[in-house]
Amino acid sequence: MVDVTINGQARKFDGDPSMPLLWFIRDELGLTGTKFGCGIAACGACTVHVNGEAVRSCGIVMSDIAGKQVTTIEGLDAKGEHPVQVAWRQLGVPQCGYCQAGQIMQAAAFLKTNKSPNDEQIVEAMSGNLCRCGCYQRIQAAVRAAAKGA
């Protein structure tokens, strides 16, 4: 049995402890904002926060999250008013939108540790999150705007 807190709610998991967190979030809890991208923790589409740090949910198994706090895009801000989400909307960042939840979760975790990043730091922090539409300039602009309070 794995006890974990997801978006502030205590949850129990009694399945295969080697199952990736991504499938528990999507299939067991129905929180489909977290996307499946590559399945090898290389694209960032499945990024969530585990104890406040950005983690690829396809690359971490249920046994590794016992007792931890997990936040998905649905739990980042109940009304979608986190500064990163506001900046994303104001700058019209998404094109297809598939990678955006992971991008936002990565940016939110990054801005918790660096409240006034320069462009190079933003590029470095976001480099593990891929966008097939190539919205990188708007993503970087949104991270800058969020750092300033959007």
Side-chain angles (χ1 to χ4, degrees), residues 26-96:
R26 289 185 56 85
D27 293 349
E28 301 289 325
L29 303 179
L31 299 171
T32 57
T34 303
K35 303 299 184 206
F36 172 78
C38 64
I40 57 171
C43 75
C46 66
T47 302
V48 298
H49 296 171
V50 175
N51 288 350
E53 293 185 22
V55 171
R56 308 302 192 240
S57 63
C58 74
I60 187 167
V61 296
M62 291 303 296
S63 60
D64 290 340
I65 63 158
K68 296 185 177 172
Q69 304 279 328
V70 175
T71 304
T72 69
I73 189 71
E74 292 90 347
L76 186 62
D77 185 286
K79 296 181 179 178
E81 296 296 329
H82 185 281
V84 176
Q85 292 170 309
V86 171
W88 240 252
R89 286 192 302 272
Q90 287 178 343
L91 296 174
V93 172
Q95 190 164 326
C96 83

Side-chain angles (χ1 to χ4, degrees), residues 35 37-38 42-47 56 88 92-104 106 123 125-140:
K35 303 299 184 206
C38 64
C43 75
C46 66
T47 302
R56 308 302 192 240
W88 240 252
V93 172
Q95 190 164 326
C96 83
Y98 194 81
C99 70
Q100 299 307 298
Q103 300 272 1
I104 289 169
Q106 179 70 34
V123 169
M126 301 302 295
S127 66
N129 287 71
L130 305 180
C131 175
R132 290 182 288 183
C133 302
C135 298
Y136 296 110
Q137 291 178 331
R138 292 196 306 258
I139 290 168
Q140 292 161 15

